[in-house]
Amino acid sequence: PEAQGFRVERHRDGTFEVVGRQALRAVSFSDLTNADALDEANRRLEASGINKALARAGARAGDTVVIGEVSFDFTDDEVLT
């Protein structure tokens, strides 16, 4: 198991994948197009340290991040878009 409950993998195509139960729970909402659900996912990504781990792994604004079946662009302010 992942020591932090998740791990960040950087793929050859430049995408970042976050793998692990904790990461999946952070984005496990039925509708991430809903502003409230998006805010909650963002809060969970920040609280779990996933955003910081992505930055440490080299993620930069505009890089694609994949968690389960959800993908989003990483931003400098670490907010899902």
Side-chain angles (χ1 to χ4, degrees):
E2 293 82 17
Q4 303 165 296
F6 67 90
R7 73 178 182 278
V8 176
E9 299 175 357
R10 186 175 191 163
H11 295 284
R12 287 183 180 196
D13 66 0
T15 62
F16 291 83
E17 183 175 8
V18 185
V19 179
R21 189 175 190 174
Q22 185 177 9
L24 289 172
R25 277 188 275 165
V27 296
S28 65
F29 294 93
S30 58
D31 182 10
L32 287 178
T33 61
N34 174 290
D36 291 335
L38 190 59
D39 287 345
E40 178 62 15
N42 228 2
R43 188 193 65 72
R44 289 182 178 198
L45 290 172
E46 184 65 33
S48 65
I50 292 172
N51 285 338
K52 286 183 181 178
L54 282 163
R56 280 194 307 268
R60 300 291 177 252
D63 287 344
T64 300
V65 175
V66 177
I67 301 176
E69 294 186 19
V70 175
S71 66
F72 56 92
D73 291 337
F74 189 76
T75 62
D76 287 333
D77 58 1
E78 302 173 347
V79 175
L80 291 175
T81 57

Coordinates of all heavy atoms in Angstrom, one line a residue:
P1 N 0.8 -1.2 0.0 CA 0.0 0.0 0.0 C 0.9 1.3 0.0 O 2.0 1.2 0.4 CB -0.8 -0.1 1.3 CG -0.5 -1.4 1.9 CD 0.6 -2.0 1.2
E2 N 0.3 2.3 -0.5 CA 1.0 3.6 -0.5 C 1.1 4.1 0.9 O 0.2 4.1 1.7 CB 0.2 4.6 -1.4 CG 0.1 4.3 -2.8 CD -1.0 3.3 -3.2 OE1 -1.9 3.1 -2.4 OE2 -0.9 2.7 -4.2
A3 N 2.3 4.6 1.2 CA 2.6 5.1 2.6 C 1.7 6.3 3.0 O 1.3 6.4 4.1 CB 4.1 5.6 2.7
Q4 N 1.4 7.2 2.0 CA 0.5 8.3 2.3 C -1.0 8.0 2.0 O -1.8 8.9 2.1 CB 1.0 9.5 1.5 CG 2.4 9.9 1.7 CD 2.9 10.8 0.6 OE1 2.9 10.4 -0.5 NE2 3.2 12.0 1.0
G5 N -1.3 6.9 1.5 CA -2.6 6.6 1.0 C -2.8 6.9 -0.4 O -3.9 6.7 -1.0
F6 N -1.7 7.4 -1.0 CA -1.8 7.7 -2.5 C -0.3 7.8 -3.0 O 0.6 7.9 -2.2 CB -2.5 9.0 -2.8 CG -1.8 10.2 -2.3 CD1 -0.9 10.9 -3.0 CD2 -2.1 10.7 -1.0 CE1 -0.2 12.0 -2.5 CE2 -1.4 11.8 -0.5 CZ -0.5 12.5 -1.3
R7 N -0.2 7.7 -4.3 CA 1.1 8.0 -4.9 C 0.9 8.7 -6.2 O -0.1 8.6 -6.8 CB 1.9 6.7 -5.1 CG 1.5 5.8 -6.2 CD 2.4 4.6 -6.4 NE 1.9 3.8 -7.5 CZ 1.0 2.9 -7.4 NH1 0.3 2.7 -6.3 NH2 0.6 2.2 -8.5
V8 N 1.9 9.5 -6.6 CA 1.8 10.3 -7.8 C 2.8 9.6 -8.8 O 3.9 9.4 -8.5 CB 2.2 11.8 -7.6 CG1 2.3 12.5 -8.9 CG2 1.3 12.4 -6.6
E9 N 2.2 9.4 -10.0 CA 3.0 8.8 -11.1 C 3.1 9.8 -12.3 O 2.0 10.3 -12.6 CB 2.4 7.5 -11.6 CG 2.4 6.4 -10.5 CD 1.6 5.2 -11.0 OE1 1.2 5.1 -12.1 OE2 1.6 4.2 -10.2
R10 N 4.2 10.0 -12.8 CA 4.4 10.9 -14.0 C 4.5 10.0 -15.2 O 5.4 9.1 -15.2 CB 5.6 11.8 -13.8 CG 5.6 12.8 -14.9 CD 6.7 13.8 -14.7 NE 6.6 14.9 -15.7 CZ 7.2 16.0 -15.6 NH1 8.0 16.3 -14.5 NH2 7.0 17.0 -16.5
H11 N 3.7 10.2 -16.2 CA 3.7 9.4 -17.4 C 4.6 10.0 -18.5 O 4.8 11.2 -18.4 CB 2.3 9.1 -17.9 CG 1.5 8.3 -16.9 ND1 1.7 6.9 -16.7 CD2 0.5 8.6 -16.0 CE1 0.8 6.5 -15.8 NE2 0.1 7.5 -15.4
R12 N 5.0 9.2 -19.4 CA 5.8 9.7 -20.5 C 5.2 10.9 -21.3 O 5.9 11.7 -21.8 CB 6.2 8.6 -21.5 CG 7.2 7.7 -20.9 CD 7.6 6.6 -21.9 NE 8.5 5.7 -21.3 CZ 9.3 4.9 -22.0 NH1 9.2 4.8 -23.3 NH2 10.1 4.1 -21.4
D13 N 3.9 10.8 -21.4 CA 3.2 11.9 -22.1 C 3.0 13.2 -21.4 O 2.4 14.1 -21.8 CB 1.8 11.3 -22.6 CG 0.8 11.1 -21.5 OD1 1.2 11.2 -20.3 OD2 -0.3 10.6 -21.8
G14 N 3.5 13.2 -20.1 CA 3.5 14.4 -19.3 C 2.3 14.5 -18.4 O 2.3 15.4 -17.6
T15 N 1.4 13.5 -18.4 CA 0.3 13.6 -17.5 C 0.8 13.0 -16.1 O 1.7 12.3 -16.0 CB -0.9 12.7 -18.0 OG1 -0.5 11.4 -18.1 CG2 -1.4 13.2 -19.3
F16 N 0.1 13.4 -15.1 CA 0.3 12.9 -13.8 C -0.9 12.1 -13.3 O -2.0 12.6 -13.5 CB 0.5 14.1 -12.8 CG 1.8 14.9 -13.1 CD1 1.8 15.8 -14.0 CD2 2.9 14.6 -12.3 CE1 3.0 16.5 -14.3 CE2 4.1 15.2 -12.6 CZ 4.2 16.2 -13.5
E17 N -0.7 11.0 -12.8 CA -1.7 10.1 -12.3 C -1.6 10.0 -10.8 O -0.5 9.7 -10.3 CB -1.7 8.8 -12.9 CG -2.9 7.9 -12.5 CD -3.0 6.6 -13.3 OE1 -2.0 6.3 -14.0 OE2 -3.9 5.9 -13.1
V18 N -2.6 10.2 -10.0 CA -2.6 10.0 -8.6 C -3.4 8.7 -8.3 O -4.6 8.6 -8.7 CB -3.3 11.2 -7.8 CG1 -3.1 11.0 -6.3 CG2 -2.6 12.5 -8.3
V19 N -2.7 7.8 -7.7 CA -3.3 6.4 -7.5 C -3.4 6.2 -6.0 O -2.5 6.6 -5.2 CB -2.3 5.4 -8.1 CG1 -2.8 4.0 -7.9 CG2 -2.1 5.6 -9.6
G20 N -4.5 5.6 -5.6 CA -4.7 5.3 -4.2 C -6.1 5.6 -3.7 O -6.8 6.5 -4.3
R21 N -6.5 4.9 -2.7 CA -7.8 5.0 -2.2 C -8.1 6.5 -1.7 O -9.2 7.0 -1.9 CB -8.0 4.1 -1.0 CG -9.3 3.9 -0.5 CD -9.3 2.9 0.6 NE -10.7 2.6 1.0 CZ -11.0 1.6 1.8 NH1 -10.1 0.8 2.3 NH2 -12.3 1.4 2.1
Q22 N -7.2 7.1 -1.0 CA -7.4 8.4 -0.5 C -7.6 9.4 -1.7 O -8.5 10.3 -1.6 CB -6.1 8.9 0.3 CG -6.3 10.2 0.9 CD -5.1 10.6 1.8 OE1 -4.1 9.9 1.8 NE2 -5.2 11.6 2.6
A23 N -6.9 9.3 -2.8 CA -7.1 10.1 -3.9 C -8.5 9.9 -4.5 O -9.2 10.9 -4.9 CB -6.0 9.9 -4.9
L24 N -8.9 8.7 -4.7 CA -10.2 8.4 -5.2 C -11.3 9.0 -4.4 O -12.3 9.5 -4.9 CB -10.4 6.9 -5.4 CG -9.5 6.2 -6.5 CD1 -9.7 4.7 -6.4 CD2 -10.0 6.7 -7.9
R25 N -11.1 8.9 -3.1 CA -12.2 9.5 -2.2 C -12.2 11.0 -2.3 O -13.3 11.6 -2.2 CB -11.9 9.1 -0.7 CG -12.4 7.7 -0.4 CD -12.3 7.5 1.1 NE -11.0 6.9 1.3 CZ -10.4 6.8 2.5 NH1 -11.0 7.2 3.5 NH2 -9.2 6.4 2.6
A26 N -11.1 11.6 -2.6 CA -11.1 13.1 -2.7 C -11.9 13.6 -3.8 O -12.5 14.7 -3.8 CB -9.6 13.6 -2.9
V27 N -12.1 12.8 -4.9 CA -12.8 13.2 -6.1 C -14.1 12.4 -6.3 O -14.7 12.4 -7.3 CB -12.0 13.2 -7.3 CG1 -10.9 14.2 -7.2 CG2 -11.5 11.8 -7.7
S28 N -14.5 11.6 -5.3 CA -15.7 10.7 -5.4 C -17.0 11.4 -5.2 O -17.7 11.1 -4.3 CB -15.5 9.5 -4.5 OG -15.6 10.0 -3.1
F29 N -17.3 12.3 -6.1 CA -18.6 13.1 -6.1 C -19.3 12.7 -7.3 O -18.7 12.5 -8.4 CB -18.3 14.6 -5.9 CG -17.7 15.0 -4.6 CD1 -16.4 15.1 -4.5 CD2 -18.5 15.2 -3.5 CE1 -15.8 15.4 -3.3 CE2 -18.0 15.6 -2.3 CZ -16.6 15.7 -2.2
S30 N -20.6 12.8 -7.3 CA -21.4 12.4 -8.4 C -21.3 13.4 -9.6 O -21.4 13.1 -10.7 CB -22.8 12.2 -8.1 OG -23.4 13.3 -7.5
D31 N -21.1 14.7 -9.2 CA -21.1 15.7 -10.2 C -20.1 16.8 -9.9 O -20.4 17.8 -9.2 CB -22.5 16.3 -10.3 CG -22.6 17.4 -11.4 OD1 -21.7 17.5 -12.2 OD2 -23.6 18.1 -11.4
L32 N -18.9 16.7 -10.5 CA -17.8 17.7 -10.2 C -18.0 18.9 -11.1 O -17.2 19.9 -11.0 CB -16.4 17.1 -10.5 CG -16.0 16.1 -9.4 CD1 -14.6 15.5 -9.8 CD2 -15.9 16.7 -8.1
T33 N -19.1 19.0 -11.8 CA -19.4 20.3 -12.5 C -20.2 21.2 -11.5 O -20.4 22.3 -11.8 CB -20.2 20.0 -13.8 OG1 -21.5 19.4 -13.5 CG2 -19.5 19.2 -14.8
N34 N -20.7 20.6 -10.4 CA -21.3 21.4 -9.4 C -20.3 22.1 -8.6 O -19.3 21.5 -8.1 CB -22.2 20.4 -8.5 CG -22.8 21.1 -7.3 OD1 -22.1 21.5 -6.4 ND2 -24.1 21.2 -7.4
A35 N -20.5 23.4 -8.4 CA -19.5 24.3 -7.7 C -19.2 23.8 -6.3 O -18.1 23.8 -5.8 CB -19.9 25.7 -7.7
D36 N -20.3 23.4 -5.6 CA -20.1 23.0 -4.2 C -19.3 21.7 -4.1 O -18.4 21.5 -3.3 CB -21.4 22.8 -3.5 CG -22.1 24.1 -3.2 OD1 -21.5 25.2 -3.1 OD2 -23.4 24.1 -3.1
A37 N -19.6 20.7 -5.0 CA -18.9 19.5 -5.0 C -17.4 19.7 -5.4 O -16.5 19.1 -4.9 CB -19.5 18.5 -6.0
L38 N -17.2 20.6 -6.4 CA -15.8 21.0 -6.8 C -15.0 21.6 -5.7 O -13.9 21.2 -5.4 CB -15.9 21.9 -8.0 CG -14.6 22.2 -8.7 CD1 -14.0 21.0 -9.3 CD2 -14.9 23.2 -9.9
D39 N -15.7 22.5 -4.9 CA -15.0 23.1 -3.8 C -14.6 22.0 -2.7 O -13.5 22.1 -2.2 CB -15.9 24.2 -3.1 CG -16.0 25.4 -3.9 OD1 -15.2 25.6 -4.8 OD2 -16.9 26.2 -3.6
E40 N -15.5 21.1 -2.5 CA -15.2 20.0 -1.5 C -14.1 19.1 -2.0 O -13.2 18.8 -1.2 CB -16.5 19.2 -1.3 CG -16.3 18.1 -0.3 CD -15.9 18.5 1.1 OE1 -16.0 19.6 1.5 OE2 -15.4 17.6 1.8
A41 N -14.1 18.8 -3.3 CA -13.0 18.0 -3.8 C -11.7 18.7 -3.7 O -10.7 18.1 -3.3 CB -13.3 17.7 -5.3
N42 N -11.7 20.0 -4.0 CA -10.5 20.8 -3.9 C -10.0 20.8 -2.4 O -8.8 20.7 -2.1 CB -10.8 22.2 -4.3 CG -9.8 22.8 -5.2 OD1 -8.8 22.1 -5.6 ND2 -10.0 24.0 -5.7
R43 N -10.9 21.0 -1.5 CA -10.6 21.0 -0.1 C -9.9 19.7 0.3 O -8.9 19.6 1.0 CB -11.8 21.3 0.8 CG -11.5 21.5 2.3 CD -12.7 21.4 3.1 NE -13.4 20.1 3.1 CZ -12.9 19.0 3.8 NH1 -11.7 19.1 4.4 NH2 -13.5 17.9 3.7
R44 N -10.5 18.6 -0.1 CA -10.0 17.3 0.2 C -8.6 17.0 -0.5 O -7.7 16.5 0.2 CB -10.9 16.2 -0.3 CG -12.2 16.1 0.5 CD -13.0 15.0 0.0 NE -14.2 14.9 0.9 CZ -15.0 13.8 0.9 NH1 -14.7 12.8 0.1 NH2 -16.1 13.8 1.7
L45 N -8.4 17.5 -1.7 CA -7.1 17.4 -2.3 C -6.0 18.2 -1.5 O -4.9 17.7 -1.4 CB -7.1 17.8 -3.8 CG -7.9 17.0 -4.7 CD1 -8.1 17.7 -6.1 CD2 -7.3 15.6 -4.9
E46 N -6.4 19.3 -1.1 CA -5.4 20.2 -0.3 C -5.2 19.5 1.1 O -4.0 19.4 1.5 CB -6.0 21.6 -0.1 CG -5.1 22.5 0.6 CD -3.8 22.8 -0.2 OE1 -3.9 22.8 -1.5 OE2 -2.8 23.0 0.4
A47 N -6.2 19.1 1.8 CA -6.1 18.6 3.1 C -5.3 17.3 3.1 O -4.6 17.0 4.1 CB -7.5 18.4 3.7
S48 N -5.4 16.5 2.1 CA -4.7 15.2 2.0 C -3.3 15.3 1.6 O -2.5 14.4 1.6 CB -5.5 14.3 1.1 OG -5.4 14.8 -0.2
G49 N -2.9 16.5 1.1 CA -1.5 16.7 0.7 C -1.3 16.3 -0.8 O -0.2 16.4 -1.3
I50 N -2.4 16.0 -1.5 CA -2.2 15.6 -2.9 C -1.8 16.7 -3.8 O -0.9 16.5 -4.6 CB -3.6 15.0 -3.4 CG1 -3.8 13.6 -2.7 CG2 -3.5 14.8 -4.9 CD1 -5.2 13.0 -2.9
N51 N -2.3 17.9 -3.6 CA -1.8 19.1 -4.4 C -0.3 19.3 -4.2 O 0.4 19.6 -5.2 CB -2.6 20.3 -4.0 CG -4.0 20.3 -4.6 OD1 -4.3 19.6 -5.5 ND2 -4.9 21.1 -3.9
K52 N 0.1 19.3 -2.9 CA 1.5 19.5 -2.7 C 2.4 18.4 -3.3 O 3.5 18.6 -3.8 CB 1.8 19.6 -1.2 CG 1.3 20.9 -0.6 CD 1.7 21.1 0.8 CE 1.1 22.4 1.3 NZ 1.3 22.6 2.7
A53 N 1.9 17.1 -3.2 CA 2.6 16.0 -3.8 C 2.7 16.2 -5.3 O 3.8 15.9 -5.9 CB 2.0 14.7 -3.4
L54 N 1.7 16.7 -5.9 CA 1.7 16.9 -7.4 C 2.8 18.0 -7.7 O 3.6 17.8 -8.7 CB 0.3 17.3 -7.9 CG -0.7 16.2 -8.1 CD1 -2.1 16.8 -8.2 CD2 -0.3 15.4 -9.3
A55 N 2.8 19.0 -7.0 CA 3.8 20.1 -7.2 C 5.2 19.6 -7.0 O 6.1 19.9 -7.8 CB 3.5 21.3 -6.3
R56 N 5.4 18.8 -5.9 CA 6.7 18.2 -5.7 C 7.1 17.2 -6.8 O 8.3 17.1 -7.1 CB 6.7 17.4 -4.4 CG 6.9 18.3 -3.2 CD 7.3 17.5 -1.9 NE 6.3 16.4 -1.7 CZ 5.2 16.5 -0.9 NH1 4.9 17.7 -0.3 NH2 4.5 15.5 -0.7
A57 N 6.2 16.6 -7.4 CA 6.4 15.7 -8.5 C 6.7 16.4 -9.8 O 7.1 15.8 -10.8 CB 5.3 14.7 -8.7
G58 N 6.5 17.7 -9.8 CA 6.8 18.5 -11.0 C 5.6 19.0 -11.8 O 5.8 19.6 -12.8
A59 N 4.4 18.8 -11.3 CA 3.2 19.3 -12.0 C 3.2 20.8 -12.0 O 3.6 21.5 -11.0 CB 2.0 18.8 -11.3
R60 N 2.9 21.4 -13.2 CA 2.9 22.8 -13.4 C 1.5 23.2 -14.0 O 0.8 22.3 -14.5 CB 4.0 23.2 -14.3 CG 5.4 22.9 -13.8 CD 5.7 23.8 -12.6 NE 7.0 23.5 -12.1 CZ 7.2 22.9 -10.9 NH1 6.2 22.5 -10.2 NH2 8.4 22.6 -10.5
A61 N 1.2 24.4 -13.9 CA -0.1 24.9 -14.5 C -0.3 24.4 -15.9 O 0.6 24.5 -16.7 CB -0.1 26.4 -14.5
G62 N -1.5 23.8 -16.1 CA -1.9 23.3 -17.4 C -1.6 21.8 -17.6 O -2.1 21.2 -18.5
D63 N -0.8 21.2 -16.7 CA -0.5 19.8 -16.8 C -1.8 19.0 -16.4 O -2.6 19.4 -15.6 CB 0.6 19.3 -15.8 CG 2.0 19.8 -16.2 OD1 2.1 20.2 -17.4 OD2 2.9 19.8 -15.4
T64 N -2.0 17.9 -17.1 CA -3.2 17.1 -16.9 C -2.9 16.1 -15.7 O -1.9 15.5 -15.7 CB -3.5 16.3 -18.2 OG1 -3.8 17.2 -19.2 CG2 -4.7 15.4 -17.9
V65 N -3.9 16.1 -14.8 CA -3.9 15.2 -13.7 C -5.0 14.3 -13.8 O -6.2 14.7 -14.1 CB -4.0 16.0 -12.3 CG1 -4.0 15.1 -11.2 CG2 -2.8 17.0 -12.2
V66 N -4.8 13.0 -13.5 CA -5.8 12.0 -13.6 C -5.9 11.3 -12.2 O -4.9 10.9 -11.7 CB -5.5 10.9 -14.7 CG1 -6.5 9.8 -14.7 CG2 -5.3 11.5 -16.1
I67 N -7.2 11.2 -11.8 CA -7.4 10.4 -10.5 C -8.7 9.6 -10.9 O -9.8 10.1 -11.1 CB -7.8 11.4 -9.3 CG1 -6.6 12.3 -9.0 CG2 -8.1 10.5 -8.1 CD1 -6.9 13.3 -7.9
G68 N -8.4 8.3 -11.0 CA -9.5 7.4 -11.4 C -10.0 7.7 -12.7 O -9.2 7.8 -13.7
E69 N -11.3 8.0 -12.9 CA -11.8 8.4 -14.2 C -12.0 9.9 -14.3 O -12.5 10.4 -15.3 CB -13.2 7.8 -14.3 CG -13.1 6.2 -14.4 CD -14.4 5.6 -14.8 OE1 -15.3 6.2 -15.3 OE2 -14.5 4.4 -14.5
V70 N -11.5 10.7 -13.4 CA -11.5 12.1 -13.4 C -10.2 12.7 -13.8 O -9.2 12.3 -13.4 CB -11.9 12.7 -12.0 CG1 -11.8 14.2 -11.9 CG2 -13.2 12.1 -11.5
S71 N -10.3 13.7 -14.8 CA -9.0 14.4 -15.2 C -9.3 15.9 -15.1 O -10.4 16.3 -15.3 CB -8.6 13.9 -16.6 OG -9.5 14.3 -17.5
F72 N -8.2 16.6 -14.8 CA -8.4 18.0 -14.7 C -7.0 18.6 -14.9 O -6.0 18.0 -14.9 CB -8.9 18.5 -13.3 CG -8.1 18.0 -12.1 CD1 -7.1 18.7 -11.6 CD2 -8.4 16.7 -11.6 CE1 -6.3 18.3 -10.5 CE2 -7.7 16.3 -10.5 CZ -6.6 17.1 -9.9
D73 N -7.0 19.9 -15.2 CA -5.7 20.7 -15.4 C -5.2 21.2 -14.1 O -6.0 21.8 -13.3 CB -5.9 21.8 -16.4 CG -6.2 21.4 -17.8 OD1 -5.8 20.3 -18.1 OD2 -6.7 22.2 -18.5
F74 N -4.0 20.9 -13.8 CA -3.3 21.4 -12.6 C -3.1 22.9 -12.8 O -2.9 23.4 -13.8 CB -2.0 20.7 -12.3 CG -1.4 21.0 -11.0 CD1 -1.8 20.5 -9.9 CD2 -0.3 21.9 -10.9 CE1 -1.2 20.7 -8.6 CE2 0.3 22.2 -9.7 CZ -0.2 21.6 -8.6
T75 N -3.3 23.7 -11.7 CA -3.1 25.1 -11.8 C -2.1 25.6 -10.7 O -2.0 24.9 -9.7 CB -4.4 25.9 -11.6 OG1 -5.0 25.6 -10.3 CG2 -5.4 25.5 -12.7
D76 N -1.5 26.7 -10.9 CA -0.6 27.2 -9.9 C -1.2 27.4 -8.5 O -0.6 27.2 -7.5 CB 0.0 28.5 -10.3 CG 1.0 28.4 -11.4 OD1 1.6 27.3 -11.5 OD2 1.2 29.3 -12.2
D77 N -2.5 27.8 -8.5 CA -3.1 28.0 -7.2 C -3.8 26.7 -6.7 O -4.5 26.7 -5.7 CB -4.1 29.1 -7.2 CG -5.2 28.9 -8.3 OD1 -5.2 27.9 -9.0 OD2 -6.1 29.8 -8.4
E78 N -3.5 25.6 -7.3 CA -3.9 24.2 -6.9 C -5.4 24.1 -6.8 O -5.9 23.6 -5.9 CB -3.2 23.8 -5.6 CG -1.7 23.9 -5.7 CD -1.1 23.6 -4.4 OE1 -1.7 23.7 -3.3 OE2 0.1 23.4 -4.4
V79 N -6.1 24.7 -7.8 CA -7.6 24.6 -7.8 C -8.0 23.8 -9.0 O -7.5 24.1 -10.1 CB -8.2 26.0 -7.8 CG1 -9.7 25.9 -8.0 CG2 -7.8 26.8 -6.6
L80 N -8.9 22.9 -8.9 CA -9.4 22.2 -10.0 C -10.1 23.1 -11.0 O -10.8 24.1 -10.6 CB -10.5 21.1 -9.6 CG -10.0 20.0 -8.8 CD1 -11.2 19.1 -8.3 CD2 -9.0 19.1 -9.6
T81 N -9.9 22.9 -12.3 CA -10.6 23.7 -13.3 C -11.3 22.8 -14.3 O -11.0 21.6 -14.4 CB -9.6 24.5 -14.1 OG1 -8.6 23.7 -14.7 CG2 -8.9 25.6 -13.3

